[in-house]
Amino acid sequence: MRAFVIDRYKAALHEASVPEPAVGERDVLVRVVAAGVNQLDEKLRTGEFRQILPYRFPLTLGHDVAGTVIRVGSKVDAFAPGDLVFARPRDGRIGAFAEAIAIDETDAALAPKSITAVEAASLPLVALTAWQALVERGDVQPGQKVLIHGGSGGVGTIAIQLAKHLGAHVATTVSAANADFVRELGADEVIDYRSQDFADVLQGYDLVLDSLGGENLEKSLRVLSPGGKAIGIVGPPDPAFARSAGLNPLLRVAVAGLSRKIRTLARKLGVSYEFLLMRASGDQLRRIAALVDQGVLRPVVGEVHGFTDVPRALARLESHRVRGKSVIAIDGGTAATDHTADSRTRGFSS
């Protein structure tokens, strides 16, 4: 089957013919209809996560998938051929930039019925990130104040909507061109990061979801109320992550060193910092799908590309700001399009 792979770290992403995935007893084999494009794909390509997410080559990239189940393992009882599913396959089993992928059944969920395949493929990684940050880690409650950086991006667009659904007062940082857009998503307070310093404007926040790191993360600690929490999704990783990832003792020490400065600053300010690398969860995707079908969450797809444009789509993440998510339509390699209502990608029909 056709897939887009890398043969080593920092090598170019290219099309190759690879074997169809083996289907384990708890797996579902999915014909890929659409696949989301994520910064994580590029970070893996360049080897940024090689110590904590080791892979063998050739490696098929792609962390978001929507498609049709075509075969199930002998012990699968949650899905059947023909089911329309979406998933963020677990680490070690990625590979959505391909014509088919085998996914552990616990990582998948029935896709929302009210949206297209392209829209469904845009959701898993970013929606799970938002859910695990705001619901699982943040325990956001009505009336709390939440700051979400990068509100027009993939995670930001979903996090704003979810935080608002949870009853929070939501602030976000975007460019002026995206101010009205994020207000439509539910943002109560919008900071133009080009002309304003959010740390001078905001105070008394209970939670910050940071997608930038560095100085932005340090300043984020200062807008928190005592006892508040900053959750970073780009790093630096913290000791709790190192333990949960099962890293060896030497790597744990190294990871602790990476985040020592920010953790020390957080303690001095009476707040806390946590690193989040989202995990696969079909159960959480089922809850997210229900919110989509209820009209609480809506996916935001900024660009749609054909299958042959996977390398270009990934490269554009570094040079071009996409509102929401960029998605690949596995439709026989047709040319890229800038909208999601194209008849070739609507629904999951074969």
Side-chain angles (χ1 to χ4, degrees):
M1 68 175 189
R2 299 167 66 198
F4 277 88
V5 309
I6 55 172
D7 299 316
R8 63 184 184 282
Y9 290 122
K10 298 185 179 180
L13 183 65
H14 65 92
E15 185 174 339
S17 179
V18 302
E20 183 177 281
V23 181
E25 61 184 15
R26 294 289 185 184
D27 291 346
V28 292
L29 182 64
V30 175
R31 181 181 68 80
V32 180
V33 175
V37 183
N38 296 284
Q39 290 284 355
L40 182 54
D41 295 301
E42 179 63 10
K43 291 180 184 295
L44 285 183
R45 188 192 69 81
T46 60
E48 184 171 333
F49 288 152
R50 71 175 72 186
Q51 296 295 330
I52 59 178
L53 292 175
Y55 281 97
R56 294 181 178 179
F57 300 104
L59 171 63
T60 302
L61 295 180
H63 288 78
D64 283 319
V65 61
T68 306
V69 175
I70 52 179
R71 192 160 72 248
V72 302
S74 60
K75 294 187 177 180
V76 171
D77 53 19
F79 301 98
D83 282 344
L84 319 176
V85 300
F86 72 146
R88 192 293 203 186
R90 64 187 59 185
D91 294 328
R93 299 197 61 183
I94 64 170
F97 296 155
E99 292 180 307
I101 182 173
I103 306 169
D104 188 292
E105 67 170 335
T106 61
D107 296 345
L110 294 176
K113 298 178 180 179
S114 58
I115 59 176
T116 67
V118 162
E119 291 168 325
S122 75
L123 284 171
L125 187 146
V126 296
L128 287 171
T129 300
W131 184 278
Q132 290 166 22
L134 301 178
V135 177
E136 206 171 61
R137 298 280 193 95
D139 190 26
V140 173
Q141 299 297 313
Q144 289 189 322
K145 297 170 71 175
V146 175
L147 168 60
I148 297 165
H149 287 294
S152 64
V155 173
T157 54
I158 301 302
I160 289 171
Q161 296 176 76
L162 181 58
K164 197 65 181 176
H165 171 65
L166 295 171
H169 173 90
V170 182
T172 190
T173 56
V174 294
S175 66
N178 284 312
D180 289 340
F181 168 66
V182 294
R183 287 192 182 97
E184 291 173 1
L185 294 177
D188 299 291
E189 196 160 358
V190 180
I191 306 300
D192 177 3
Y193 68 86
R194 290 174 175 164
S195 63
Q196 297 174 285
D197 187 335
F198 71 89
D200 294 335
V201 179
L202 306 177
Q203 61 181 355
Y205 276 70
D206 300 285
L207 182 72
V208 176
L209 178 54
D210 177 72
S211 56
L212 299 173
E215 181 184 358
N216 195 81
L217 175 57
E218 292 183 18
K219 290 198 298 184
S220 293
L221 297 179
R222 301 184 185 279
V223 308
L224 289 169
S225 295
K229 180 184 296 184
I231 297 176
I233 59 174
V234 297
D238 59 7
F241 164 75
R243 290 192 298 272
S244 66
L247 302 183
N248 66 51
L250 287 177
L251 279 178
R252 290 187 189 186
V253 172
V255 165
L258 292 173
S259 60
R260 184 171 291 113
K261 178 182 177 182
I262 196 70
R263 289 185 289 112
T264 299
L265 177 59
R267 284 195 298 271
K268 288 180 178 179
L269 294 171
V271 300
S272 62
Y273 164 72
E274 296 180 8
F275 171 67
L276 171 65
L277 182 63
M278 56 74 56
R279 70 183 191 284
S281 173
D283 179 62
Q284 291 178 1
L285 284 179
R286 281 188 285 275
R287 301 182 195 185
I288 289 163
L291 292 178
V292 172
D293 284 337
Q294 292 165 17
V296 172
L297 299 179
R298 65 178 177 91
V300 178
V301 177
E303 292 184 349
V304 183
H305 301 267
F307 189 40
T308 58
D309 288 322
V310 170
R312 174 175 174 267
L314 191 58
R316 277 175 64 81
L317 292 184
E318 298 299 311
S319 61
H320 180 74
R321 290 186 181 274
V322 176
R323 180 182 284 183
K325 285 290 293 290
S326 178
V327 179
I328 303 299
I330 315 297
D331 57 359
T334 56
T337 179
D338 290 328
H339 56 86
T340 61
D342 192 289
S343 62
R344 295 168 305 187
T345 58
R346 181 168 293 280
F348 298 80
S349 58
S350 299

